[in-house]
Amino acid sequence: MSENTFVQRDLFHMLCDQVIGRGISRVVYSSKVLPDCVVKVEDGAGSFQNVIEWETWQRVSDTPFSRWFAACRWISPSGSVLVMERTRPATPSEFPEKMPVFLTDFKRTNYGVSMATDPKTGKSAETFVCHDYGTSLLFEHGMSKRLRKAEWWDV
C-alpha cells in the first residue's frame, strides 16, 4: 500500500462521496464508483459493528433469512470499512407490523427497501430490509422464524 497520505486521501474520496448517515461508531457515505452501495467507515476501536454485519451476512446470505438484510459486498481486512448494498427509504406503509425476533432496534432509519435484482426474474425485488444490523440478536437467538410485534420509533 502506498505510504503517501495524498494517495490514501484520493482513494478515500474516490470511493466515498457524501455523508448520508452517522451512528455511535460509524459514518455512512454514498459512493461515487459504486452508486448502488454505501460505504460504512468505523473510525473508533472497540465496537466492531462492521465485522458483526459482515459475519451476520455470511451466515444468512444463502438462507431464506437473507430477505431481512441488506447485502454486504466487501469488508476491509481490519473491518474498518464495509461496503453494503444501498437501500431506498421505506414509506410508512412499507413498515411491517411484525419482524423476526433476532432484529431488535426498530428505529425507522435502520431499515429501507432493497433495490437488488431478483436472480430468478431479473427484476427489482423491492424487499423491506434492515441495513443497520450491527447490534442484532442473531447470534443469541439464532435464525428463528418466530416474529414479534415491531415497535417502530423515530429519532
Side-chain angles (χ1 to χ4, degrees):
M1 178 175 134
S2 173
E3 297 297 321
N4 185 323
T5 56
F6 295 109
V7 172
Q8 293 171 4
R9 189 176 299 123
D10 271 355
L11 283 168
F12 179 84
H13 289 292
M14 184 177 79
L15 178 63
C16 298
D17 194 18
Q18 301 291 321
V19 172
I20 59 172
R22 290 184 188 276
I24 293 171
S25 64
R26 301 184 288 184
V27 178
V28 182
Y29 297 88
S30 60
S31 178
K32 292 178 182 180
V33 296
L34 301 167
D36 62 333
C37 293
V38 297
V39 180
K40 296 182 175 189
V41 178
E42 192 171 353
D43 254 341
S47 72
F48 302 103
Q49 287 188 357
N50 283 346
V51 172
I52 291 169
E53 285 185 349
W54 178 259
E55 288 300 322
T56 298
W57 180 249
Q58 297 310 301
R59 285 171 172 79
V60 302
S61 63
D62 292 326
T63 74
F65 298 100
S66 65
R67 67 140 340 271
W68 294 106
F69 298 91
C72 292
R73 305 275 171 81
W74 298 280
I75 192 166
S76 64
S78 69
S80 61
V81 179
L82 175 72
V83 177
M84 178 183 274
E85 112 179 70
R86 187 170 183 167
T87 64
R88 71 162 174 78
T91 64
S93 65
E94 290 176 303
F95 285 88
E97 282 187 38
K98 294 189 174 192
M99 293 291 290
V101 294
F102 50 76
L103 292 173
T104 56
D105 189 351
F106 296 123
K107 182 170 60 172
R108 290 182 194 272
T109 56
N110 289 347
Y111 294 81
V113 176
S114 169
M115 303 302 289
T117 304
D118 183 325
K120 294 177 185 171
T121 65
K123 296 180 182 175
S124 176
E126 298 227 2
T127 307
F128 184 85
V129 296
C130 183
H131 55 235
D132 187 354
Y133 48 91
T135 59
S136 76
L137 293 175
L138 185 69
F139 298 155
E140 291 82 358
H141 286 276
M143 291 186 235
S144 171
K145 292 181 182 179
R146 208 173 79 215
L147 301 175
R148 68 182 178 120
K149 183 172 177 14
E151 300 288 336
W152 298 106
W153 62 281
D154 297 300
V155 178

